[in-house]
Amino acid sequence: MQCLSPSVPPALAVKPHLLRQLLLTLLGIALVLGCGYAGYRLSEAIGIRELAAGGERQLELNARAVESEIGKYTYLPSLLELESGVSRLLLTPGSYRRQRLNDHLEGLNQRAGSLAVYVLDLDGRVVATSNWNQPSSFLGEDLSFRDYYKQAVRGEPGRFYGVGSTTGEPGYYLAHGLRANGRVIGVAVVKVRLDALEKRWADARVEAYVSDENGIIILSSDPARRLKAVRPLDDADRERLARSLQYHWATLQELQPLASRELGAGLQEVRLDGPAGQPLDYLQQTRALNDTAWHLTLLTPLAEQRRTAASHGLLAGVVCALLIFGGLALNQRRKVIATRLAAREALQRANGELERKIAERTLDLSASNLLLQAEVRERQQTEANLRQAQDGLVQAGKLAVIGQMSTSIAHELNQPLAALRTLSANAARFLERGALDTAGSNLQAIGELVDRMGRITGSLRAFARRGGDHGQASLEQAVEAALFLLHSRVEQERPTLHREFAEARLAIDQTRLEQILVNLLSNALDALREQPRRELWLSGAQYGASYRLEVRDSGAGIPPDVRVHLFEPFFTTKPGEKGLGLGLTLSASLAAAAGGSLVVRHPEEGGSAFILDLPLQEPRDD
Ligand code: ADP
């Protein structure tokens, strides 16, 4: 039964297992997301470390390349010190000498592959230059404002990146103070182009830039980043740089990352505008270049690594989800197995219980079987005893009937005997007289009387004989025999006899059938005595495999208190020696022994009717 708190309406109540499932689902989702995120972060960290390691190597290589590109020309201005034409021109200028030096410088510039080679006097004016014959020639130009000039005049190596004030062409300036007799007499300058590096980066798809001592990008694989400041410039800086014309008239903008994250020394994650203008994340690695105050910065795009990290994150999420599903499946399987085991155990228990009950029941049954067998044996014994008693009773009944009939038989026999005595005495007298005819007719009458007496005694003998349960009997013969036995009583009562039956062959011993009929007819005759209307019906008909004979009389009927005792042995309502109370009992038992029955009916019109059912004899094949 669900127990709800009274404040929660039933419709809003969440079943605990549903809540648990919801929480578990949310937990699962959180776990999958967490795994995905952790996978992503881990992959990203590893990827960045690998990228940083690769970038470090790349940075080193590119830094070397930049350094060698710059270093390649360092010796060139100092070489001019060895040129006698240079010192001569500086000490004693002259147009011829200038021209010769111009030619020499032009040749030198061509061979070295530099942008320009030129010589300045102590005032910073160009006295000879490789581009003497070009419109953009520096010849005569005052470059004393250039830092490289100032450095070289001081005897220091002049290094400078700038945009040419005449040509507007960016380049790297290397300057050397030319000495004669221990003092500086002029300055030799070589302007080289470094854009080959940019081309190389572009070819190798490397994103990099070089920023100078002012933090201005002087070389960049992406032209858009060129001449931008990598660190914030204040107004004073801007003023100073504008005045130096180092970057010609370029407006110096700042290259400010849209976002940045410090990952380590010289290692940053930054978001910059990419080559196509869209913001891109980069791993930024910076290294100072040797012999200069410049820095090389390498930008490694993180997009690819991010994609890899995302796919790793996705993979981790999927693996986590699979593990969770696997775990759930295993758990489910464990539950199913546990349920099956429990069910099997329950089944085994039930089986055991059933077997135990069956064993108990079998034991009970065999005990009751033994009891039943004992009872059957007892019943069989009782039946045998009863049968024996019944046989005895039948015999006793016969004797009783014989006893009853002996009077009428004696009467039957006395009559012919008296007649015989008279007839034989008369016959003797007629013989003496010679009246042979009369004597003959007397003798014939004597013979007839003897036959009749023989029939009487014969039927008595047959009645007393024991018969078997089964046999065959003719209904007509049996009726005839019974009526014959009861002849004197029939004569006495003189009932109207209705014979309403046809001959039938019945499966019962002939004598037994006669015995039954004698009993029934004798009772009927008794009932008819002293009745004004005396009628006796013998009606029969076939019912399936048996034959039904009804013996009905128009007697006074049987009173209700007598009816219940009719078939009890020795029950009689007849006075003195007249009744033994065995007739109906014997008749019923004889009928039953032959597979039939004897019952009583009490007709509404009065009298009594006894119905005898007996099996018909099966017709023989022959
Ligand atoms: P018994 O004839 O020796 O008395 P029975 O067993 O033949 O013994 O009959 C038992 C009793 O049943 C009789 O005493 C009589 O009261 C009654 N009975 C039998 N047949 C008839 C009948 N047809 N009409 C009236 N009563 C009968």
Side-chain angles (χ1 to χ4, degrees):
M1 211 176 85
Q2 198 174 0
C3 184
L4 294 171
S5 74
S7 58
V8 182
L12 296 179
V14 181
K15 290 180 180 167
H17 74 274
L18 278 182
L19 193 67
R20 195 165 149 263
Q21 258 181 3
L22 188 70
L23 282 177
L24 281 177
T25 309
L26 287 177
L27 190 71
I29 291 171
L31 211 61
V32 169
L33 290 178
C35 279
Y37 182 69
Y40 174 80
R41 295 303 302 208
L42 191 68
S43 171
E44 188 190 38
I46 292 171
I48 284 179
R49 203 175 329 135
E50 282 173 2
L51 278 184
E56 200 65 43
R57 282 194 297 277
Q58 188 107 21
L59 187 68
E60 192 60 35
L61 282 173
N62 282 293
R64 293 265 167 80
V66 175
E67 283 163 2
S68 79
E69 190 69 25
I70 298 167
K72 188 160 83 170
Y73 297 99
T74 29
Y75 68 95
L76 200 56
S78 57
L79 274 183
L80 289 176
E81 206 171 45
L82 303 172
E83 285 289 327
S84 54
V86 175
S87 52
R88 266 205 297 272
L89 179 68
L90 286 171
L91 291 171
T92 9
S95 57
Y96 174 70
R97 282 180 186 159
R98 185 188 314 275
Q99 192 51 49
R100 277 199 59 185
L101 189 57
N102 278 344
D103 291 341
H104 176 73
L105 292 178
E106 187 182 358
L108 186 68
N109 185 50
Q110 267 176 8
R111 279 195 300 280
S114 48
L115 276 175
V117 183
Y118 49 99
V119 177
L120 308 177
D121 62 14
L122 264 182
D123 299 330
R125 201 168 293 276
V126 179
V127 290
T129 174
S130 59
N131 56 7
W132 60 275
N133 53 356
Q134 287 172 21
S136 56
S137 171
F138 309 148
L139 209 58
E141 211 168 302
D142 181 4
L143 297 175
S144 58
F145 66 93
R146 288 295 197 187
D147 280 352
Y148 59 82
Y149 161 76
K150 290 173 188 166
Q151 288 164 350
V153 164
R154 284 201 299 272
E156 297 165 7
R159 298 282 184 270
F160 177 78
Y161 180 89
V163 180
S165 55
T166 318
T167 56
E169 197 176 31
Y172 181 47
Y173 297 81
L174 297 116
H176 179 75
L178 297 168
R179 289 169 187 273
N181 302 323
R183 64 181 185 90
V184 176
I185 54 165
V187 175
V189 185
V190 176
K191 181 182 180 184
V192 295
R193 58 165 73 229
L194 294 175
D195 50 4
L197 284 168
E198 293 182 332
K199 193 170 174 321
R200 224 178 293 155
W201 288 340
D203 290 348
R205 295 184 181 281
V206 171
E207 285 201 58
Y209 61 79
V210 174
S211 53
D212 67 5
E213 65 281 0
N214 297 315
I216 305 296
I217 294 175
I218 52 173
L219 294 171
S220 170
S221 56
D222 179 5
R225 292 185 192 130
R226 217 173 283 147
L227 293 181
K228 285 194 174 166
V230 293
R231 52 175 187 258
L233 294 174
D234 56 20
D235 290 345
D237 287 335
R238 285 183 190 279
E239 177 78 25
R240 182 176 57 79
L241 292 175
R243 199 162 294 160
S244 76
L245 280 182
Q246 187 171 353
Y247 309 105
H248 205 45
W249 300 107
T251 44
L252 298 172
Q253 288 172 338
E254 288 175 7
L255 179 74
Q256 278 303 319
L258 303 170
S260 74
R261 185 159 67 103
E262 206 67 38
L263 298 173
L267 189 66
Q268 265 188 320
E269 186 189 323
V270 293
R271 180 166 296 164
L272 296 172
D273 284 330
Q278 83 285 16
L280 286 177
D281 285 343
Y282 291 98
L283 187 69
Q284 178 176 290
Q285 287 165 289
T286 304
R287 175 192 185 285
L289 292 171
N290 291 330
D291 298 331
T292 63
W294 297 359
H295 285 85
L296 172 67
T297 300
L298 185 73
L299 294 171
T300 313
L302 286 172
E304 183 66 29
Q305 194 279 328
R306 286 269 155 79
R307 272 197 292 279
T308 310
S311 57
H312 283 165
L314 190 69
L315 194 68
V318 168
V319 167
C320 182
L322 283 177
L323 283 176
I324 290 173
F325 278 123
L328 285 176
L330 270 180
N331 193 36
Q332 199 60 30
R333 194 175 135 71
R334 191 183 56 74
K335 275 187 192 165
V336 168
I337 288 174
T339 315
R340 271 197 208 146
L341 279 178
R344 193 180 298 167
E345 269 176 29
L347 198 67
Q348 276 172 353
R349 270 203 306 280
N351 252 356
E353 183 68 8
L354 198 66
E355 274 171 18
R356 194 182 58 73
K357 278 189 180 161
I358 287 173
E360 273 178 14
R361 195 96 187 96
T362 313
L363 217 62
D364 285 356
L365 280 175
S366 30
S368 358
N369 195 24
L370 285 176
L371 277 176
L372 274 175
Q373 280 175 355
E375 213 164 305
V376 165
R377 274 197 300 278
E378 206 175 308
R379 291 272 155 85
Q380 280 171 343
Q381 186 59 43
T382 315
E383 194 186 326
N385 291 345
L386 271 175
R387 199 172 287 279
Q388 220 175 342
Q390 191 189 47
D391 285 352
L393 281 174
V394 169
Q395 209 55 29
K398 282 181 182 175
L399 291 174
V401 171
I402 289 168
Q404 273 182 331
M405 287 190 300
S406 58
T407 322
S408 53
I409 290 167
H411 174 73
E412 279 296 309
L413 292 179
N414 278 342
Q415 258 190 329
L417 276 175
L420 274 178
R421 196 179 302 122
T422 315
L423 280 171
S424 63
N426 287 347
R429 265 197 298 276
F430 285 133
L431 280 174
E432 283 169 13
R433 284 181 202 163
L436 290 176
D437 286 347
T438 318
S441 61
N442 268 11
L443 284 172
Q444 198 177 350
I446 287 170
E448 284 171 7
L449 281 172
V450 167
D451 279 350
R452 183 173 144 80
M453 288 168 72
R455 277 207 306 279
I456 292 168
T457 51
S459 69
L460 266 178
R461 211 173 42 245
F463 188 79
R465 200 170 57 220
R466 284 178 79 103
D469 284 344
H470 300 286
Q472 25 180 300
S474 153
L475 180 63
E476 262 182 0
Q477 275 183 27
V479 171
E480 286 309 324
L483 288 173
F484 181 74
L485 278 174
L486 298 170
H487 173 74
S488 58
R489 297 204 35 215
V490 173
E491 287 294 304
Q492 209 176 323
E493 309 304 342
R494 294 199 171 275
T496 314
L497 187 62
H498 304 276
R499 288 166 167 263
E500 296 168 354
F501 65 93
E503 162 63 339
R505 306 286 306 170
L506 303 178
I508 186 168
D509 181 74
Q510 182 76 37
T511 317
R512 290 193 168 193
L513 180 59
E514 287 171 12
Q515 204 171 343
I516 294 169
L517 290 175
V518 166
N519 284 333
L520 296 180
L521 289 171
S522 161
N523 282 343
L525 290 171
D526 284 344
L528 289 178
R529 187 179 297 162
E530 293 164 13
Q531 288 297 319
R533 187 171 71 93
R534 295 175 193 166
E535 278 184 284
L536 189 58
W537 290 268
L538 285 169
S539 37
Q542 189 175 332
Y543 283 91
S546 54
Y547 192 87
R548 177 169 295 178
L549 180 74
E550 191 178 66
V551 181
R552 181 156 77 90
D553 60 63
S554 59
I558 305 165
D561 57 324
V562 172
R563 286 176 191 176
V564 286
H565 304 293
L566 274 187
F567 291 93
E568 287 175 10
F570 302 109
F571 172 79
T572 179
T573 56
K574 294 169 190 169
E577 297 213 334
K578 285 210 157 189
L580 259 181
L582 282 174
L584 286 179
T585 315
L586 277 172
S587 301
S589 77
L590 289 177
S597 64
L598 176 67
V599 293
V600 67
R601 187 166 79 83
H602 309 286
E604 285 177 10
E605 60 268 29
S608 310
F610 285 84
I611 299 160
L612 175 68
D613 265 316
L614 283 172
L616 279 166
Q617 192 194 335
E618 284 173 18
R620 279 189 295 181
D621 293 341
D622 52 322

